Amino acid sequence: MEEIELVILGAAPALIAMAVIDRMDAKRPEPRSTLRRVALAGSISALPVILVGELLKLMGPGVGYSGALYMSFVIAALPEEAAKLASVYLMAWRRPEFDERMDGIVYGARAGLGFALVENVAYLLLLPHSLSQYFTVYIGRAILAVPGHAIWGGLAGYFAARRRFDGRGPGWWGGLAIAVAMHGLYDAWLFCAPVAIQDGQTWLALSVGPLPVLIYVVPAIMIGGGALLLRAVARRAVADDDADEIAMKIASMGHGHRAPDA
């Protein structure tokens, strides 16, 4: 398969997911230019995250369960989720169009999907050495990793926006902590499973064709639960934003029909 085809196929899941997120915000859509800037920032942020990850690898354990957990939370989850939120803050947070709770979800997911696009292409270009390996990596990342990045970024953005507009909720730092916990647990299963197989837990290696079914089951449940949570907070965000819009219209009508001074 040509490299250009790998790039196109690798980018497709993230681009499709962006369209899905946009449909969630169809009532009051964000400017396309800002959406593109956030996605581009998320994509570019993958480069410093890679460099930070390489430095962190020199400091922590490299093997066994401790190495897998260190890789999951310290090398992967924390820098990646911090980079996504930084992309939202730099490209959208202080702009006038960031005026709703739903915007936190939209821009957070956009940053996550920009990051996922670059990461996905890199994985597909560098890791598979055969067609079956390519198929396994592609399915796993398209169904699990790419939606995961959107979910974790979207939830972090929502909690930041809720604190901004309502004065409640965990805010930036709490949203980051939640995203890191969800992302880290997802990676922990995937990184610890090969260690467990080497330790004799060969039942984890059960596959159907090239797909490692048991290794993917737990992450699939995590992503499914995260998607339901994101949908729930998105519905709440839209309802609260609708209420604010109605209140503003009523207030403007009231100001426009004030009784004349005596």
Side-chain angles (χ1 to χ4, degrees), residues 22-200:
D22 289 348
R23 286 181 63 85
M24 294 172 64
D25 193 40
K27 183 177 290 187
R28 291 177 290 269
E30 298 305 298
R32 304 302 301 177
S33 59
T34 309
L35 291 171
R36 286 193 292 267
R37 280 196 295 269
V38 173
L40 180 61
S43 300
I44 294 172
S45 72
L47 302 178
V49 166
I50 292 172
L51 296 176
V52 169
E54 292 301 314
L55 292 174
L56 291 172
K57 286 179 183 178
L58 302 175
M59 304 176 189
V63 295
Y65 291 108
S66 59
L69 292 174
Y70 182 79
M71 176 71 74
S72 301
F73 287 93
V74 179
I75 294 179
L78 180 57
E80 291 179 14
E81 298 308 322
K84 297 172 195 175
L85 281 181
S87 299
V88 174
Y89 182 79
L90 292 173
M91 296 297 165
W93 183 257
R94 291 170 292 183
R95 296 184 63 85
E97 56 263 35
F98 198 120
D99 56 0
E100 295 179 322
R101 299 160 189 83
M102 187 64 191
D103 294 348
I105 296 175
V106 172
Y107 289 123
R110 270 273 170 166
L113 289 169
F115 185 96
L117 189 152
V118 172
E119 186 183 61
N120 212 39
V121 170
Y123 268 95
L124 293 172
L125 285 175
L126 300 175
L127 286 185
H129 299 293
S130 66
L131 184 59
S132 63
Q133 285 184 348
Y134 177 87
F135 178 75
T136 300
V137 173
Y138 189 87
I139 293 298
R141 294 200 58 80
I143 296 177
L144 301 176
V146 171
H149 280 294
I151 291 165
W152 306 321
L155 288 173
Y158 168 76
F159 290 121
R162 189 179 179 204
R163 172 67 67 86
R164 175 177 180 173
F165 295 112
D166 297 330
R168 300 193 304 272
W172 278 103
W173 295 108
L176 175 61
I178 291 169
V180 169
M182 295 177 70
H183 187 165
L185 289 171
Y186 169 90
D187 280 348
W189 174 266
L190 292 174
F191 294 157
C192 287
V195 180
I197 292 172
Q198 290 180 357
D199 285 348

